Amino acid sequence: MALNNTYDARLVQQETAVGAGVQILVLALLGSAIGMGPAGWVTGLVFAVALWAVLSRALHRSQLRSFGPANRVTLGRATLVGGVTALVADSFESTPPVTLLVGLTAVALLLDGVDGKVARRTGTSTALGARFDMEVDAFLILVLSVYVSMELGPWVLLIGGMRYVFVAAAKVAPWLNNPLPPSMARKTVAALQGICLCVAGADLLPYAGNFAVALLALGSLLWSFGRDVLWLWRTSRITAALPQERVLELV
């Protein structure tokens, strides 16, 4: 049994290594297509190594016997996000190819719901897969907010940074880590962030239009986070007021 576990673990780790290799291939293609500078190359390579290291550690801790088809889709999206990250970093040195950047972003956004559907249809849904999907989405929003902020101002960084601020706040206020009930509104707002930032980054609208689109994204995100934080706070107050025996029953 131990040999089987080791063999399966190696297979899983090999898939993350393949993902890192594909990421480097994507960077090579981008580099040859646009003549990407040092900033783009370094950022893209750091992303590839960091993704491989973090994902490998998470897989080792979760003891998954198979990487799974849904995680492969998410890993594919992650390589696209790595390409977007490299292009955004390169934009600090030269004018970025907006069409290419928007194209990669659009494909990554379109594939956002695919991994979840694949996981459900194949019966391979896992906590790690859901977390992997969420982190890829969050990082893409962060990178897009950096890119759009260069045109509209640093306030756009609030869109990409809000989720990470929430995670940091949960270290101080553990009640923020409590599970939230499913919400279609939350999913809609999350999807809206990428769409709005992609539209603003495409620069197809006048400045006022791009500003309004980004402001819509920020406003909806503030509403969504505010609603969830209020729900978590109220729930934590109710739980704290209940007898310990009743709390254990609810858990």
Side-chain angles (χ1 to χ4, degrees):
M1 181 64 70
L3 291 175
N4 287 337
N5 286 338
T6 302
Y7 177 70
D8 288 341
R10 288 178 178 176
L11 283 179
V12 170
Q13 297 298 331
Q14 285 172 5
E15 298 219 34
T16 63
V18 170
V22 172
Q23 180 68 81
I24 294 174
L25 176 61
V26 169
L27 294 175
L29 293 173
L30 292 176
S32 62
I34 67 170
M36 194 162 56
W41 272 105
V42 171
T43 303
L45 290 173
V46 169
F47 179 91
V49 172
L51 176 64
W52 169 80
V54 173
L55 186 55
S56 295
R57 182 181 179 186
L59 287 167
H60 177 72
R61 294 177 64 180
S62 67
Q63 297 295 308
L64 287 181
R65 294 177 61 84
S66 173
F67 193 64
N71 284 333
R72 293 188 187 102
V73 176
T74 307
L75 185 58
R77 287 202 304 116
T79 60
L80 296 177
V81 173
V84 173
T85 302
L87 291 176
V88 170
D90 192 61
S91 70
F92 285 91
E93 295 181 335
S94 60
T95 303
V98 177
T99 302
L100 182 58
L101 190 150
V102 171
L104 289 176
T105 301
V107 174
L109 292 174
L110 288 172
L111 290 175
D112 185 19
V114 174
D115 41 16
K117 291 180 180 179
V118 170
R120 288 188 293 272
R121 289 182 179 179
T122 58
T124 55
S125 298
T126 63
L128 174 62
R131 180 66 182 273
F132 184 25
D133 178 54
M134 181 176 63
E135 295 298 342
V136 171
D137 292 340
F139 193 78
L140 176 59
I141 298 303
L142 176 62
V143 171
L144 290 176
S145 67
V146 170
Y147 179 68
V148 176
S149 71
M150 290 188 282
E151 175 68 22
L152 300 182
W155 64 271
V156 182
L157 295 174
L158 292 172
I159 299 174
M162 198 172 302
R163 192 253 171 187
Y164 297 98
V165 171
F166 181 86
V167 171
K171 302 291 185 181
V172 180
W175 52 269
L176 289 171
N177 288 314
N178 293 332
L180 287 162
S183 171
M184 182 56 67
R186 186 186 309 117
K187 293 180 180 179
T188 302
V189 169
L192 184 65
Q193 305 308 302
I195 295 172
C196 287
L197 289 173
C198 187
V199 170
D203 205 23
L204 297 175
L205 303 174
Y207 179 88
N210 290 331
F211 190 95
V213 168
L215 191 61
L216 171 63
L218 178 59
S220 62
L221 193 62
L222 287 170
W223 170 80
S224 181
F225 268 96
R227 189 185 68 155
D228 286 346
V229 169
L230 181 60
W231 188 92
L232 289 169
W233 179 76
R234 286 176 174 173
T235 303
S236 67
R237 293 288 297 270
I238 294 172
T239 303
L242 291 173
Q244 186 64 26
E245 293 79 5
R246 180 56 177 159
V247 174
L248 292 175
E249 291 178 8
L250 293 174
V251 173

